[in-house]
Amino acid sequence: MRNDRNDTLNPRKPRRVILVTGTKLKVYACITMLFYTIGATIVQNGLIHVNHYTSEELSQALSENADLMVLSGWASVFQLIGGLAVPVFAFLLVEGFVHTSSVRNYLLRLLAFAVISEIPYDLAMNGVLWDTGSQNSLFTLAVCLVMLYSLRLLEQRPGIAWKLFQLLVVLAAALWCSLLHLNCGLCMVLICAIFYKLYDRKGVRLLLGCAVSVMYVTGPFSGYLLWNYCGDRGWDKNKYIFYAFYPLHLLVLGVIARMMGA
């Protein structure tokens, strides 16, 4: 009698694995970050006008207006999507640090775009051209890069005392982020430190790094893409496009929110 079962006639097909390049990670991070910015600028500032309320007034307005409550829900959804970008940016920074030919040029590039992005960031997030209450995420990445470079220098010195200094460097970076009111500061510092110190232990570093990213709720869900990173930097000839995306998207959305009366 003929056996028609395919599983006995054909060999089992290998499981398909998604190969993720550095370019794919950058595109993914930019798209998820875009959702976060839309939620903060268009929905919260442009439609809900959260800057016009105190916290008590906003709570009362949401309880009395169903439309505002729905908009607030959408803003929360967009923020959750934006949380997916946090561990990816930390991962890309560590990969960039490990493979860069010049940490100095890398740092100067981050600082240059951080300065360029500050006014668009304040316009988008706070509706003003200058606000010292919070600084944009590129400053956070610059602090993390200095931390990584310091950790590399300390690793070259043997002894338990220097290992303790490495811990102090991480704490100092977190403190600077807090004092300067840098966006995503504490979470980014911790993830970058974990990704770097456990660089040769892929499973452990992703598990711990993504566990820390739970501070942004959805961050751990990006772990699948990071696990499948193939080590290929991808399309890197025009990397400045990704740098320029940050201030440009903040500026465009900030202007739109401003026109909506934020």
Side-chain angles (χ1 to χ4, degrees):
M1 184 175 179
R2 183 179 177 182
N3 190 346
D4 293 326
R5 292 185 303 172
N6 293 331
D7 57 346
T8 60
L9 297 178
N10 300 320
R12 180 175 295 179
K13 295 181 179 180
R15 184 173 62 91
R16 296 183 63 183
V17 178
I18 300 176
L19 295 180
V20 180
T21 64
T23 298
K24 290 179 181 179
L25 285 178
K26 291 175 184 177
V27 172
Y28 170 83
C30 288
I31 291 175
T32 50
M33 178 179 61
L34 177 62
F35 273 94
Y36 176 86
T37 310
I38 290 175
T41 57
I42 304 301
V43 181
Q44 289 187 337
N45 295 343
L47 296 175
I48 302 178
H49 306 298
V50 293
N51 292 330
H52 296 173
Y53 299 93
T54 64
S55 57
E56 294 79 8
E57 291 172 345
L58 180 60
S59 299
Q60 182 177 357
L62 291 176
S63 63
E64 296 174 351
N65 191 321
D67 291 335
L68 287 182
M69 183 65 72
V70 171
L71 289 174
S72 178
W74 278 110
S76 298
V77 170
F78 287 168
Q79 289 177 349
L80 290 174
I81 295 175
L84 294 168
V86 176
V88 179
F89 278 119
F91 183 87
L92 289 170
L93 182 75
V94 173
E95 286 295 318
F97 170 73
V98 171
H99 296 101
T100 186
S101 58
S102 174
V103 176
R104 173 181 170 274
N105 290 341
Y106 194 4
L107 178 60
L108 290 176
R109 188 161 57 245
L110 280 175
L111 289 175
F113 278 93
V115 172
I116 293 172
S117 303
E118 188 57 25
I119 289 179
Y121 175 82
D122 290 336
L123 178 64
M125 297 300 172
N126 304 306
V128 295
L129 293 179
W130 187 257
D131 180 48
T132 58
S134 64
Q135 324 305 327
N136 70 78
S137 298
L138 291 183
F139 282 116
T140 308
L141 295 179
V143 170
C144 290
L145 186 60
V146 173
M147 175 191 70
L148 294 177
Y149 183 70
S150 301
L151 291 176
R152 174 187 286 177
L153 293 178
L154 292 173
E155 285 175 345
Q156 300 172 6
R157 298 176 179 271
I160 187 65
W162 295 107
K163 293 185 181 297
L164 292 176
F165 273 120
Q166 293 182 45
L167 178 59
L168 291 177
V169 165
V170 176
L171 294 176
L175 180 60
W176 271 108
C177 288
S178 177
L179 293 175
L180 297 175
H181 306 289
L182 302 185
N183 190 34
C184 303
L186 176 61
C187 186
M188 193 68 70
V189 165
L190 295 178
I191 298 177
C192 285
I194 291 171
F195 281 169
Y196 177 69
K197 294 300 297 180
L198 299 173
Y199 190 81
D200 295 325
R201 302 176 65 183
K202 181 179 178 180
V204 177
R205 73 168 182 155
L206 287 180
L207 179 62
L208 292 179
C210 289
V212 172
S213 70
V214 79
M215 295 170 63
Y216 286 85
V217 184
T218 53
F221 291 104
S222 293
Y224 178 75
L225 291 178
L226 301 181
W227 175 264
N228 289 300
Y229 175 64
C230 63
D232 183 6
R233 298 175 67 180
W235 182 57
D236 199 42
K237 293 182 179 179
N238 293 294
K239 58 187 175 183
Y240 288 99
I241 291 177
F242 295 104
Y243 282 100
F245 174 80
Y246 186 65
L248 286 177
H249 95 285
L250 288 171
L251 179 62
V252 171
L253 293 176
V255 170
I256 294 175
R258 188 71 174 179
M259 293 174 63
M260 296 172 67

